[in-house]
Amino acid sequence: MKKNGSCPSISTVSSICKKLDISIDEVVNGSENNFNHSEDVDNYIFSNQWLKASDYLQNVNYDLIDSKTNRIKYNYCNGYLQFHLHKDLNQAMFFYNQVIRLCKNIPNNVYSIGASVGILEIYLVQKQLDVRHLLSQINSLSYDLSKIDFDEHNGKFLTLLYSKIIENYQLLGMYEESLRFYGSVISNIKRNFVAFKLCELKNLKAISLFKLDNNIEAFKHLKFALDLGSFYKNDMSVAISKKLYIQFKKRHIGRNINF
């Protein structure tokens, strides 16, 4: 950043950085530990590599994150890992609330909705809300999610949140509602074909169909999930598909169902 052999002043650099929404430390000290490659943590969480995601975030200096967008993502990812990996509900709630605070007056932000979904999951674990209130909250969040269009920045987390909504419906025994939500978002998945997670959603659909005694369709979706999961080497989805198949088969011994 030199001109005629001289360097610009700090105030000039600071002004340019603000316009570009990047940290001045990123320019002066380099990008190390500054969350500039935050797509890495997206990929780790998306592919269920939670330990790698956690290690990544531990090496980030939050004070050097000047971009509000990246601060929101940082807090959301920490909340997600505190809940799913570390099982620390208090820390998860703290980070999720930070996301909601940062997203105030930002409509249709996928991380804000994600934080709300995360808080709902905490309430489900702690059994702090009655079923009617929980269902109302899930319905509201599922509506918000179904209205967000995919783009290159939010597609992975949208798909992740779709599965969380379906899982929450299933925890409440609302299998028809889970299928309706699946139907409302599947066009987004197919159009953008985030195939890595589509197999996991197919597993969830199979569970709902099975609970509603639509067994033939349940097995069809399970077969699809297994084939797609194997093709994309989504080992977690494949393991779940195989486990579900064994469970389903045990309950249908003697029936003419082939997998």
Side-chain angles (χ1 to χ4, degrees), residues 143-250:
Y143 176 81
D144 291 340
L145 275 179
S146 65
K147 298 301 178 185
I148 297 181
D149 291 328
F150 266 66
D151 61 42
E152 61 178 321
H153 302 294
N154 70 16
K156 290 180 179 179
F157 276 110
L158 266 182
T159 311
L160 194 70
L161 293 175
Y162 291 165
S163 64
K164 293 300 175 189
I165 290 291
I166 293 173
E167 288 170 353
N168 288 334
Y169 275 130
Q170 290 176 345
L171 281 172
L172 294 174
M174 306 295 181
Y175 301 106
E176 290 183 355
E177 285 83 354
S178 75
L179 289 175
R180 277 197 289 270
F181 177 70
Y182 177 92
S184 71
V185 300
I186 194 61
S187 60
N188 246 351
I189 297 289
K190 287 181 176 177
R191 185 168 58 248
N192 295 276
F193 209 63
V194 188
F196 189 85
K197 284 290 179 182
L198 180 56
C199 47
E200 296 182 18
L201 286 169
K202 287 287 185 178
N203 279 333
L204 291 171
K205 184 173 185 180
I207 292 172
S208 292
L209 288 167
F210 182 75
K211 292 289 187 178
L212 294 170
D213 291 325
N214 195 342
N215 303 308
I216 300 296
E217 284 297 310
F219 274 90
K220 286 181 181 178
H221 286 280
L222 201 54
K223 176 73 162 59
F224 182 97
L226 182 60
D227 291 344
L228 193 66
S230 298
F231 181 82
Y232 282 95
K233 295 182 173 58
N234 187 340
D235 295 337
M236 179 176 286
S237 177
V238 169
I240 292 172
S241 297
K242 290 179 177 178
K243 182 179 178 180
L244 289 174
Y245 171 68
I246 292 170
Q247 292 175 351
F248 292 0
K249 200 72 173 179
K250 283 181 178 178

Side-chain angles (χ1 to χ4, degrees), residues 26 30 35 41 58 60 66 70 108 135 152 184:
E26 179 181 342
F35 208 59
V41 77
Q58 286 178 8
V60 172
D66 285 349
N70 279 343
N108 298 323
L135 184 58
E152 61 178 321
S184 71

Side-chain angles (χ1 to χ4, degrees), residues 3-14:
K3 185 178 180 181
N4 298 326
S6 63
C7 293
S9 66
I10 288 295
S11 61
T12 301
V13 174
S14 177

